[in-house]
Amino acid sequence: DIQMTQSPASLSASLEEIVTITCQASQDIGNWLAWYQQKPGKSPQLLIYDATSLADGVPSRFSGSRSGTQYSLKISRLQVEDIGSYYCQQAHSNPLTFGSGTKLEIK
Amino acid sequence: EVQLVESGGGLVQPGRSLKLSCAASGFTFSNYYMAWVRQAPKKGLEWVATISTSGSRTYYPDSVKGRFTISRDNAKSSLYLQMNSLKSEDTATYYCARRAANWVVFDYWGQGVMVTVSS
């Protein structure tokens, strides 16, 4: 199985700050990576697919990048509505696996 | 508007069975792979099952293989998850999710249904 190591587990940042979350894949998965946002008490929502492509309706302050087997989600200017948990997911092969999540709070 | 509405959750004893349903609307159900993803209380996301458009192909992780069965009824735009031999570690919120057309990602999710396995 492909392991996705996500960090940090939690993060506190100020409004307008740049936030970065990373996921390390245990093997080469190419661009087969997605990011999801889960607001408190809500279902997950797709943010990024194909490592760097923004899903429909997602604000442009969100972006994804890849360096080898390390993937990053960046929020360029943190907003109040961005609080919640974030998960990466490898889409390369079954079993599909998620990172352990990052809980983002406002400082 | 795409809508996925789960039902069938509840409290069940270990070793017993439960069947979840998901009613889909707002898109051509038969054109999409569908899946179930679960989330244990205060924990992360875990993929549970995927089914092809026709229902001829199904996929599961080892943690539920042989105990859970995913199925669909395209005429009713409905997805199902039959869960047998339930264990306490199956306690979670179960989400019905649509797999995106060209990517193995989940572009729409239901609101989730809670399953509690306890004596």
Side-chain angles (χ1 to χ4, degrees), chain A residues 9-102:
Chain A
S10 62
L11 179 56
S12 181
S14 301
L15 292 176
E16 303 291 324
E17 189 175 332
I18 296 173
V19 169
T20 302
I21 299 167
T22 63
C23 262
Q24 179 74 46
S26 61
Q27 64 186 72
D28 182 15
I29 60 171
N31 280 348
W32 295 95
L33 185 105
W35 290 97
Y36 299 87
Q37 175 193 59
Q38 187 176 29
K39 296 184 179 182
K42 300 294 186 181
S43 306
Q45 289 185 290
L46 179 65
L47 289 177
I48 302 278
Y49 64 96
D50 193 26
T52 61
S53 298
L54 215 58
D56 290 346
V58 175
S60 58
R61 64 179 180 275
F62 290 91
S63 63
S65 64
R66 171 195 172 192
S67 176
T69 57
Q70 181 162 292
Y71 301 81
S72 298
L73 172 70
K74 186 172 88 169
I75 308 174
S76 60
R77 294 170 57 191
L78 187 65
Q79 304 296 303
V80 171
E81 58 267 31
D82 299 334
I83 62 167
S85 294
Y86 292 81
Y87 297 90
C88 63
Q89 176 230 321
Q90 64 84 11
H92 179 270
S93 56
N94 287 330
L96 303 177
T97 47
F98 292 85
S100 53
T102 295

Coordinates of all heavy atoms in Angstrom, one line a residue, chain A residues 9-102:
Chain A
A9 N 0.5 18.1 11.7 CA -0.8 17.6 12.1 C -1.7 18.7 12.5 O -2.9 18.6 12.3 CB -0.6 16.7 13.3
S10 N -1.2 19.8 13.0 CA -2.0 21.0 13.3 C -1.2 22.2 13.0 O 0.1 22.2 13.0 CB -2.5 21.0 14.7 OG -1.4 21.0 15.6
L11 N -1.9 23.3 12.8 CA -1.2 24.5 12.3 C -2.1 25.7 12.7 O -3.3 25.7 12.5 CB -1.1 24.5 10.8 CG -0.5 25.6 10.0 CD1 0.9 26.0 10.5 CD2 -0.4 25.3 8.6
S12 N -1.5 26.7 13.4 CA -2.2 27.9 13.7 C -1.5 29.1 13.0 O -0.3 29.3 13.1 CB -2.1 28.1 15.3 OG -2.7 29.3 15.7
A13 N -2.3 29.8 12.3 CA -1.7 30.9 11.5 C -2.6 32.2 11.5 O -3.8 32.1 11.8 CB -1.5 30.5 10.0
S14 N -2.0 33.3 11.2 CA -2.7 34.6 11.2 C -3.4 34.8 9.9 O -3.0 34.3 8.9 CB -1.8 35.7 11.5 OG -1.1 35.5 12.7
L15 N -4.5 35.6 9.9 CA -5.2 36.0 8.7 C -4.2 36.7 7.7 O -3.3 37.4 8.1 CB -6.3 37.0 9.0 CG -7.5 36.4 9.8 CD1 -8.5 37.4 10.2 CD2 -8.1 35.2 9.0
E16 N -4.4 36.4 6.5 CA -3.5 36.9 5.4 C -2.1 36.3 5.3 O -1.4 36.5 4.4 CB -3.4 38.4 5.5 CG -4.7 39.2 5.5 CD -5.4 39.2 4.2 OE1 -4.7 39.2 3.1 OE2 -6.6 39.1 4.2
E17 N -1.9 35.3 6.2 CA -0.6 34.7 6.2 C -0.5 33.6 5.1 O -1.6 33.1 4.7 CB -0.3 34.0 7.6 CG 1.1 33.5 7.8 CD 1.3 33.0 9.2 OE1 0.6 33.5 10.2 OE2 2.1 32.1 9.4
I18 N 0.6 33.2 4.7 CA 0.8 32.1 3.7 C 0.9 30.8 4.6 O 1.7 30.8 5.5 CB 2.1 32.3 2.9 CG1 2.0 33.5 2.0 CG2 2.3 31.0 2.0 CD1 3.2 33.9 1.2
V19 N 0.2 29.8 4.1 CA 0.2 28.5 4.8 C 0.5 27.4 3.9 O 0.1 27.4 2.7 CB -1.3 28.2 5.4 CG1 -1.4 26.8 5.9 CG2 -1.6 29.2 6.5
T20 N 1.4 26.5 4.3 CA 1.8 25.4 3.5 C 1.6 24.1 4.2 O 2.1 24.0 5.4 CB 3.2 25.6 3.0 OG1 3.4 26.8 2.3 CG2 3.6 24.4 2.1
I21 N 1.0 23.1 3.6 CA 0.8 21.8 4.1 C 1.5 20.8 3.2 O 1.4 21.0 1.9 CB -0.7 21.5 4.3 CG1 -1.3 22.5 5.2 CG2 -0.9 20.0 4.7 CD1 -2.9 22.4 5.2
T22 N 2.2 19.8 3.7 CA 2.9 18.9 2.8 C 2.4 17.4 3.0 O 2.0 17.1 4.1 CB 4.4 19.0 3.0 OG1 4.7 18.6 4.3 CG2 4.9 20.4 2.7
C23 N 2.6 16.7 1.9 CA 2.4 15.2 1.9 C 3.5 14.5 1.2 O 3.9 15.0 0.1 CB 1.1 14.9 1.2 SG -0.3 14.6 2.3
Q24 N 4.0 13.5 1.9 CA 5.1 12.7 1.3 C 4.6 11.4 0.9 O 4.1 10.6 1.8 CB 6.3 12.6 2.3 CG 7.5 11.8 1.8 CD 8.3 12.5 0.8 OE1 8.6 13.7 0.9 NE2 8.6 11.8 -0.3
A25 N 4.7 11.0 -0.3 CA 4.3 9.7 -0.8 C 5.4 8.6 -0.6 O 6.6 8.9 -0.7 CB 3.8 9.7 -2.2
S26 N 5.0 7.4 -0.2 CA 6.0 6.4 0.1 C 6.6 5.8 -1.2 O 7.6 5.1 -1.2 CB 5.4 5.2 0.9 OG 4.3 4.6 0.2
Q27 N 6.0 6.1 -2.4 CA 6.6 5.7 -3.7 C 6.1 6.7 -4.7 O 5.3 7.6 -4.5 CB 6.2 4.3 -4.0 CG 4.7 4.1 -4.2 CD 4.4 2.6 -4.4 OE1 4.4 1.8 -3.5 NE2 4.0 2.3 -5.6
D28 N 6.7 6.6 -5.9 CA 6.3 7.5 -7.0 C 4.8 7.3 -7.4 O 4.4 6.2 -7.7 CB 7.2 7.2 -8.2 CG 6.9 8.1 -9.4 OD1 6.3 9.2 -9.2 OD2 7.3 7.8 -10.5
I29 N 4.1 8.4 -7.3 CA 2.7 8.4 -7.7 C 2.5 9.4 -8.8 O 1.3 9.8 -9.1 CB 1.8 8.7 -6.5 CG1 2.0 10.1 -5.9 CG2 1.8 7.6 -5.5 CD1 1.0 10.5 -4.8
G30 N 3.5 10.0 -9.4 CA 3.4 11.0 -10.4 C 2.6 12.1 -9.9 O 2.8 12.6 -8.8
N31 N 1.6 12.6 -10.7 CA 0.7 13.7 -10.4 C -0.6 13.2 -9.8 O -1.5 14.0 -9.6 CB 0.5 14.6 -11.6 CG 1.6 15.5 -11.8 OD1 2.5 15.7 -11.0 ND2 1.6 16.2 -13.0
W32 N -0.7 11.9 -9.4 CA -1.9 11.3 -9.0 C -2.2 11.7 -7.5 O -2.1 10.8 -6.6 CB -1.9 9.8 -9.2 CG -1.9 9.4 -10.6 CD1 -0.8 9.1 -11.4 CD2 -3.0 9.3 -11.5 NE1 -1.2 8.8 -12.6 CE2 -2.5 8.9 -12.7 CE3 -4.4 9.5 -11.3 CZ2 -3.4 8.7 -13.8 CZ3 -5.2 9.3 -12.4 CH2 -4.7 8.9 -13.7
L33 N -2.4 12.9 -7.3 CA -2.6 13.4 -5.9 C -3.7 14.4 -5.9 O -3.8 15.3 -6.7 CB -1.4 14.0 -5.3 CG -1.6 14.4 -3.8 CD1 -0.9 13.4 -2.9 CD2 -1.2 15.8 -3.5
A34 N -4.6 14.4 -4.8 CA -5.6 15.3 -4.6 C -5.5 15.9 -3.2 O -5.0 15.3 -2.3 CB -7.0 14.7 -4.8
W35 N -6.1 17.1 -3.0 CA -6.3 17.7 -1.7 C -7.7 18.0 -1.5 O -8.5 18.4 -2.4 CB -5.5 19.0 -1.7 CG -4.0 18.9 -1.7 CD1 -3.2 19.0 -2.8 CD2 -3.2 18.6 -0.5 NE1 -1.9 18.8 -2.4 CE2 -1.8 18.6 -1.0 CE3 -3.4 18.5 0.8 CZ2 -0.7 18.4 -0.2 CZ3 -2.3 18.3 1.7 CH2 -1.0 18.2 1.2
Y36 N -8.1 17.8 -0.2 CA -9.5 18.0 0.2 C -9.5 19.0 1.4 O -8.6 18.9 2.2 CB -10.2 16.7 0.6 CG -10.4 15.7 -0.5 CD1 -9.4 14.8 -0.7 CD2 -11.5 15.7 -1.3 CE1 -9.4 13.9 -1.8 CE2 -11.6 14.8 -2.4 CZ -10.6 13.9 -2.6 OH -10.7 13.0 -3.6
Q37 N -10.6 19.7 1.5 CA -10.8 20.6 2.7 C -12.0 20.1 3.4 O -13.0 19.7 2.7 CB -11.0 22.0 2.3 CG -11.4 23.0 3.4 CD -11.9 24.3 2.8 OE1 -12.9 24.4 2.1 NE2 -11.3 25.4 3.2
Q38 N -12.0 20.0 4.7 CA -13.2 19.6 5.5 C -13.4 20.6 6.6 O -12.7 20.7 7.5 CB -13.0 18.2 6.1 CG -14.3 17.7 6.8 CD -14.2 16.3 7.3 OE1 -13.1 15.8 7.7 NE2 -15.3 15.6 7.4
K39 N -14.4 21.4 6.4 CA -14.8 22.4 7.4 C -15.4 21.7 8.5 O -16.0 20.7 8.4 CB -15.7 23.5 6.7 CG -15.0 24.3 5.6 CD -15.8 25.4 5.1 CE -15.1 26.2 4.0 NZ -15.9 27.3 3.5
P40 N -15.4 22.4 9.7 CA -15.9 21.7 10.9 C -17.4 21.3 10.8 O -18.2 22.1 10.3 CB -15.8 22.8 12.0 CG -14.6 23.6 11.5 CD -14.7 23.6 10.0
G41 N -17.7 20.0 11.0 CA -19.0 19.5 10.9 C -19.5 19.3 9.5 O -20.7 18.9 9.4
K42 N -18.7 19.4 8.5 CA -19.1 19.2 7.1 C -18.4 18.1 6.4 O -17.5 17.5 7.0 CB -18.8 20.5 6.4 CG -19.5 21.8 6.9 CD -21.0 21.7 6.8 CE -21.7 23.0 7.2 NZ -23.2 22.9 7.1
S43 N -18.9 17.8 5.2 CA -18.3 16.8 4.4 C -17.0 17.3 3.8 O -16.9 18.5 3.6 CB -19.2 16.3 3.3 OG -20.5 15.9 3.9
P44 N -16.1 16.5 3.4 CA -14.9 16.9 2.6 C -15.3 17.5 1.3 O -16.3 17.1 0.7 CB -14.1 15.7 2.4 CG -14.5 14.7 3.5 CD -16.0 15.0 3.7
Q45 N -14.5 18.4 0.8 CA -14.7 19.0 -0.5 C -13.3 19.0 -1.3 O -12.3 19.3 -0.7 CB -15.1 20.5 -0.4 CG -16.5 20.7 0.1 CD -16.9 22.2 0.1 OE1 -16.4 22.9 0.9 NE2 -17.8 22.5 -0.7
L46 N -13.4 18.7 -2.6 CA -12.3 18.6 -3.4 C -11.7 20.0 -3.7 O -12.4 20.9 -4.1 CB -12.6 17.9 -4.7 CG -11.5 17.7 -5.7 CD1 -10.4 16.8 -5.2 CD2 -12.1 17.2 -7.1
L47 N -10.4 20.2 -3.4 CA -9.7 21.4 -3.7 C -8.9 21.3 -4.9 O -8.9 22.2 -5.8 CB -8.8 21.8 -2.5 CG -9.4 22.2 -1.2 CD1 -8.3 22.5 -0.2 CD2 -10.3 23.5 -1.4
I48 N -8.0 20.3 -5.0 CA -7.0 20.2 -6.0 C -7.0 18.8 -6.5 O -7.1 17.8 -5.7 CB -5.6 20.5 -5.4 CG1 -5.5 21.9 -4.8 CG2 -4.5 20.3 -6.4 CD1 -5.2 23.0 -5.7
Y49 N -6.8 18.6 -7.8 CA -6.6 17.2 -8.3 C -5.4 17.3 -9.3 O -5.0 18.4 -9.7 CB -7.8 16.7 -9.0 CG -8.3 17.5 -10.2 CD1 -7.9 17.1 -11.5 CD2 -9.0 18.7 -10.1 CE1 -8.3 17.9 -12.6 CE2 -9.4 19.4 -11.2 CZ -9.0 19.0 -12.4 OH -9.4 19.8 -13.5
D50 N -4.9 16.1 -9.7 CA -3.8 16.1 -10.6 C -2.6 16.9 -10.0 O -1.8 17.5 -10.8 CB -4.2 16.6 -12.0 CG -3.2 16.3 -13.1 OD1 -2.4 15.3 -12.9 OD2 -3.1 17.1 -14.0
A51 N -2.5 16.9 -8.7 CA -1.4 17.6 -7.9 C -1.5 19.1 -8.0 O -1.1 19.8 -7.0 CB 0.0 17.1 -8.4
T52 N -1.9 19.7 -9.1 CA -1.8 21.2 -9.3 C -3.1 21.8 -9.8 O -3.1 23.0 -9.9 CB -0.6 21.5 -10.2 OG1 -0.9 21.0 -11.5 CG2 0.7 21.0 -9.6
S53 N -4.1 21.0 -10.2 CA -5.2 21.6 -10.9 C -6.3 21.9 -9.9 O -6.7 21.1 -9.0 CB -5.8 20.6 -11.9 OG -4.9 20.3 -12.9
L54 N -6.8 23.2 -10.0 CA -7.8 23.7 -9.0 C -9.2 23.1 -9.4 O -9.6 23.2 -10.6 CB -7.8 25.2 -9.1 CG -8.1 26.0 -7.8 CD1 -7.1 25.7 -6.8 CD2 -8.1 27.5 -8.1
A55 N -9.9 22.6 -8.5 CA -11.3 22.1 -8.7 C -12.2 23.3 -9.0 O -11.9 24.4 -8.6 CB -11.8 21.3 -7.5
D56 N -13.3 23.0 -9.6 CA -14.3 24.1 -9.9 C -14.7 24.8 -8.6 O -15.1 24.2 -7.6 CB -15.5 23.5 -10.6 CG -15.3 23.0 -12.0 OD1 -14.2 23.3 -12.5 OD2 -16.1 22.2 -12.5
G57 N -14.7 26.1 -8.7 CA -15.2 27.0 -7.7 C -14.2 27.2 -6.5 O -14.6 27.9 -5.6
V58 N -13.1 26.6 -6.6 CA -12.1 26.8 -5.5 C -11.3 28.1 -5.7 O -10.9 28.4 -6.8 CB -11.1 25.6 -5.5 CG1 -10.0 25.9 -4.4 CG2 -11.8 24.3 -5.2
P59 N -11.2 29.0 -4.7 CA -10.6 30.3 -4.8 C -9.1 30.1 -5.2 O -8.4 29.1 -4.9 CB -10.6 30.8 -3.4 CG -11.8 30.1 -2.7 CD -11.8 28.8 -3.3
S60 N -8.6 31.1 -6.0 CA -7.3 31.0 -6.5 C -6.2 31.2 -5.5 O -5.0 31.0 -5.8 CB -7.1 32.1 -7.6 OG -7.4 33.4 -7.1
R61 N -6.5 31.5 -4.3 CA -5.5 31.6 -3.2 C -5.0 30.2 -2.8 O -4.0 30.0 -2.2 CB -6.0 32.3 -2.0 CG -7.1 31.6 -1.2 CD -7.5 32.5 0.0 NE -8.6 31.9 0.7 CZ -9.9 32.1 0.4 NH1 -10.2 32.9 -0.6 NH2 -10.9 31.5 1.1
F62 N -5.7 29.1 -3.3 CA -5.3 27.8 -3.1 C -4.4 27.3 -4.3 O -4.8 27.6 -5.4 CB -6.4 26.8 -2.9 CG -7.2 27.0 -1.6 CD1 -8.3 27.8 -1.6 CD2 -6.8 26.3 -0.5 CE1 -9.0 28.0 -0.4 CE2 -7.5 26.4 0.7 CZ -8.6 27.3 0.8
S63 N -3.3 26.6 -4.0 CA -2.5 26.1 -5.1 C -1.8 24.8 -4.6 O -1.6 24.6 -3.5 CB -1.5 27.1 -5.6 OG -0.6 27.4 -4.6
G64 N -1.5 24.0 -5.6 CA -0.8 22.7 -5.3 C 0.5 22.6 -6.1 O 0.6 23.2 -7.2
S65 N 1.4 22.0 -5.5 CA 2.7 21.8 -6.2 C 3.3 20.4 -5.9 O 2.8 19.7 -5.0 CB 3.7 22.9 -5.9 OG 4.0 22.8 -4.5
R66 N 4.3 20.1 -6.7 CA 4.9 18.8 -6.5 C 6.4 18.9 -6.7 O 6.9 19.6 -7.6 CB 4.4 17.8 -7.6 CG 5.2 16.5 -7.6 CD 4.8 15.7 -8.9 NE 5.7 14.5 -9.0 CZ 5.8 13.8 -10.1 NH1 5.1 14.1 -11.2 NH2 6.6 12.7 -10.1
S67 N 7.2 18.2 -5.9 CA 8.6 18.1 -6.0 C 9.0 16.6 -5.8 O 9.1 16.2 -4.6 CB 9.4 19.0 -5.1 OG 10.8 18.8 -5.2
G68 N 9.1 15.8 -6.8 CA 9.4 14.4 -6.6 C 8.2 13.7 -6.0 O 7.1 13.8 -6.6
T69 N 8.4 13.1 -4.9 CA 7.3 12.5 -4.2 C 6.7 13.3 -3.0 O 6.0 12.8 -2.2 CB 7.7 11.1 -3.6 OG1 8.9 11.3 -2.8 CG2 8.1 10.2 -4.8
Q70 N 7.1 14.6 -3.0 CA 6.6 15.5 -2.0 C 5.6 16.5 -2.6 O 5.9 17.1 -3.7 CB 7.7 16.3 -1.3 CG 7.2 17.2 -0.2 CD 8.2 17.7 0.8 OE1 8.7 16.9 1.6 NE2 8.5 19.0 0.7
Y71 N 4.5 16.6 -2.0 CA 3.4 17.4 -2.6 C 3.0 18.5 -1.5 O 3.1 18.2 -0.3 CB 2.2 16.6 -2.9 CG 2.5 15.5 -3.9 CD1 3.1 14.3 -3.5 CD2 2.2 15.7 -5.2 CE1 3.4 13.3 -4.4 CE2 2.6 14.7 -6.1 CZ 3.2 13.5 -5.7 OH 3.5 12.6 -6.6
S72 N 2.7 19.7 -2.0 CA 2.4 20.8 -1.1 C 1.1 21.4 -1.5 O 0.7 21.6 -2.7 CB 3.5 21.8 -1.1 OG 4.7 21.3 -0.6
L73 N 0.3 21.9 -0.5 CA -0.9 22.7 -0.7 C -0.5 24.0 0.0 O -0.1 24.1 1.1 CB -2.1 22.1 0.0 CG -3.3 22.9 0.1 CD1 -3.9 23.1 -1.3 CD2 -4.4 22.4 1.0
K74 N -0.7 25.1 -0.8 CA -0.4 26.4 -0.3 C -1.7 27.3 -0.3 O -2.4 27.3 -1.3 CB 0.7 27.1 -1.1 CG 1.1 28.5 -0.6 CD 2.3 29.0 -1.3 CE 1.9 29.9 -2.5 NZ 3.0 30.6 -3.0
I75 N -1.9 28.0 0.8 CA -3.0 29.0 0.8 C -2.2 30.3 0.9 O -1.5 30.6 1.9 CB -3.8 28.8 2.1 CG1 -4.4 27.4 2.2 CG2 -5.0 29.8 2.0 CD1 -5.1 27.1 3.4
S76 N -2.4 31.1 -0.1 CA -1.5 32.3 -0.3 C -1.9 33.4 0.8 O -1.0 34.1 1.2 CB -1.6 32.9 -1.7 OG -3.0 33.2 -2.0
R77 N -3.2 33.6 1.1 CA -3.6 34.6 2.0 C -4.7 34.0 2.9 O -5.9 34.0 2.4 CB -4.0 35.9 1.3 CG -2.9 36.6 0.6 CD -3.5 37.7 -0.3 NE -4.3 38.7 0.5 CZ -5.1 39.6 -0.1 NH1 -5.2 39.7 -1.4 NH2 -5.8 40.4 0.7
L78 N -4.4 33.5 4.0 CA -5.3 32.8 4.9 C -6.6 33.7 5.2 O -6.4 34.8 5.6 CB -4.7 32.3 6.1 CG -5.5 31.4 7.0 CD1 -5.8 30.1 6.4 CD2 -4.8 31.2 8.4
Q79 N -7.8 33.1 5.0 CA -9.0 33.7 5.3 C -9.7 32.9 6.4 O -9.4 31.7 6.6 CB -9.9 33.8 4.1 CG -9.3 34.5 2.9 CD -9.0 35.9 3.2 OE1 -9.9 36.7 3.5 NE2 -7.7 36.4 3.0
V80 N -10.7 33.6 7.1 CA -11.4 32.9 8.2 C -12.1 31.7 7.7 O -12.1 30.7 8.4 CB -12.4 33.9 8.8 CG1 -13.3 33.2 9.8 CG2 -11.7 35.1 9.5
E81 N -12.6 31.7 6.5 CA -13.4 30.6 6.0 C -12.5 29.4 5.6 O -13.0 28.3 5.2 CB -14.2 31.0 4.8 CG -13.5 31.6 3.6 CD -13.4 33.1 3.7 OE1 -13.4 33.7 4.8 OE2 -13.3 33.7 2.6
D82 N -11.2 29.5 5.8 CA -10.3 28.4 5.4 C -10.0 27.5 6.6 O -9.3 26.5 6.5 CB -9.0 29.0 4.9 CG -9.1 29.8 3.7 OD1 -10.1 29.6 2.9 OD2 -8.2 30.7 3.4
I83 N -10.6 27.8 7.8 CA -10.3 27.0 9.0 C -11.0 25.6 8.7 O -12.1 25.5 8.1 CB -10.8 27.6 10.3 CG1 -12.3 27.8 10.3 CG2 -10.0 28.9 10.6 CD1 -12.9 28.2 11.6
G84 N -10.3 24.6 9.2 CA -10.8 23.2 9.1 C -9.7 22.3 9.0 O -8.6 22.6 9.3
S85 N -10.0 21.1 8.4 CA -8.9 20.1 8.2 C -8.7 19.9 6.8 O -9.6 20.0 5.9 CB -9.3 18.8 8.9 OG -9.4 18.9 10.3
Y86 N -7.5 19.5 6.4 CA -7.0 19.3 5.1 C -6.4 17.9 4.9 O -5.7 17.5 5.8 CB -6.0 20.4 4.6 CG -6.7 21.7 4.5 CD1 -6.9 22.5 5.7 CD2 -7.1 22.2 3.3 CE1 -7.5 23.8 5.6 CE2 -7.7 23.5 3.2 CZ -7.9 24.2 4.3 OH -8.6 25.4 4.2
Y87 N -6.8 17.2 3.9 CA -6.3 15.9 3.6 C -5.7 15.7 2.2 O -6.4 16.2 1.3 CB -7.4 14.8 3.8 CG -8.0 14.8 5.2 CD1 -9.1 15.6 5.5 CD2 -7.5 13.9 6.1 CE1 -9.6 15.5 6.8 CE2 -8.0 13.9 7.4 CZ -9.1 14.7 7.7 OH -9.6 14.6 9.0
C88 N -4.6 15.0 2.1 CA -4.2 14.6 0.7 C -4.7 13.2 0.5 O -5.0 12.5 1.4 CB -2.7 14.7 0.6 SG -1.7 13.6 1.7
Q89 N -4.7 12.9 -0.8 CA -5.2 11.5 -1.2 C -4.4 11.1 -2.4 O -4.3 11.8 -3.4 CB -6.6 11.5 -1.5 CG -7.2 10.1 -2.0 CD -8.0 10.2 -3.3 OE1 -8.7 11.2 -3.5 NE2 -7.8 9.3 -4.2
Q90 N -3.8 9.9 -2.4 CA -3.1 9.4 -3.6 C -4.2 8.7 -4.5 O -5.0 7.9 -4.0 CB -1.9 8.5 -3.3 CG -2.2 7.2 -2.5 CD -2.6 6.1 -3.4 OE1 -2.5 6.2 -4.7 NE2 -3.1 5.0 -2.9
A91 N -4.1 9.0 -5.7 CA -5.1 8.4 -6.7 C -4.3 7.5 -7.7 O -4.8 7.2 -8.8 CB -5.8 9.6 -7.5
H92 N -3.2 7.1 -7.3 CA -2.3 6.2 -8.2 C -2.8 4.8 -8.3 O -2.8 4.2 -9.4 CB -0.9 6.3 -7.7 CG 0.1 5.5 -8.5 ND1 0.4 4.2 -8.3 CD2 0.8 5.9 -9.6 CE1 1.2 3.8 -9.1 NE2 1.5 4.8 -10.0
S93 N -3.1 4.2 -7.1 CA -3.5 2.8 -7.1 C -4.3 2.4 -5.9 O -4.2 3.1 -4.9 CB -2.2 1.9 -7.2 OG -1.3 2.2 -6.2
N94 N -5.0 1.3 -6.0 CA -5.8 0.8 -4.9 C -4.9 0.0 -4.0 O -3.9 -0.7 -4.4 CB -6.9 -0.1 -5.4 CG -8.0 0.6 -6.0 OD1 -8.3 1.8 -5.7 ND2 -8.7 0.0 -7.0
P95 N -5.1 0.1 -2.7 CA -6.1 0.9 -2.0 C -5.8 2.4 -2.0 O -4.7 2.8 -1.7 CB -6.1 0.3 -0.6 CG -4.7 -0.1 -0.4 CD -4.2 -0.6 -1.7
L96 N -6.8 3.2 -2.3 CA -6.7 4.6 -2.3 C -6.4 5.0 -0.8 O -7.0 4.5 0.1 CB -7.9 5.3 -2.7 CG -8.4 4.9 -4.2 CD1 -9.7 5.6 -4.5 CD2 -7.3 5.3 -5.2
T97 N -5.4 5.8 -0.6 CA -5.1 6.2 0.8 C -5.0 7.7 0.9 O -4.6 8.5 0.0 CB -3.7 5.6 1.2 OG1 -2.8 5.8 0.1 CG2 -3.8 4.1 1.4
F98 N -5.3 8.1 2.2 CA -5.3 9.5 2.5 C -4.2 9.8 3.5 O -3.8 8.9 4.3 CB -6.6 9.9 3.2 CG -7.9 9.9 2.3 CD1 -8.5 8.7 2.1 CD2 -8.3 11.0 1.7 CE1 -9.7 8.6 1.3 CE2 -9.4 11.0 0.9 CZ -10.1 9.8 0.7
G99 N -3.8 11.1 3.5 CA -2.9 11.5 4.6 C -3.7 11.6 5.9 O -4.9 11.5 5.9
S100 N -3.0 11.7 7.0 CA -3.6 11.7 8.3 C -4.3 13.0 8.7 O -5.0 13.1 9.6 CB -2.6 11.4 9.4 OG -1.5 12.3 9.3
G101 N -4.1 14.1 7.8 CA -4.9 15.3 8.0 C -4.1 16.4 8.7 O -3.1 16.1 9.5
T102 N -4.4 17.6 8.4 CA -3.8 18.8 9.0 C -5.0 19.7 9.5 O -5.8 20.1 8.7 CB -3.0 19.6 8.1 OG1 -1.8 18.8 7.7 CG2 -2.5 20.9 8.7

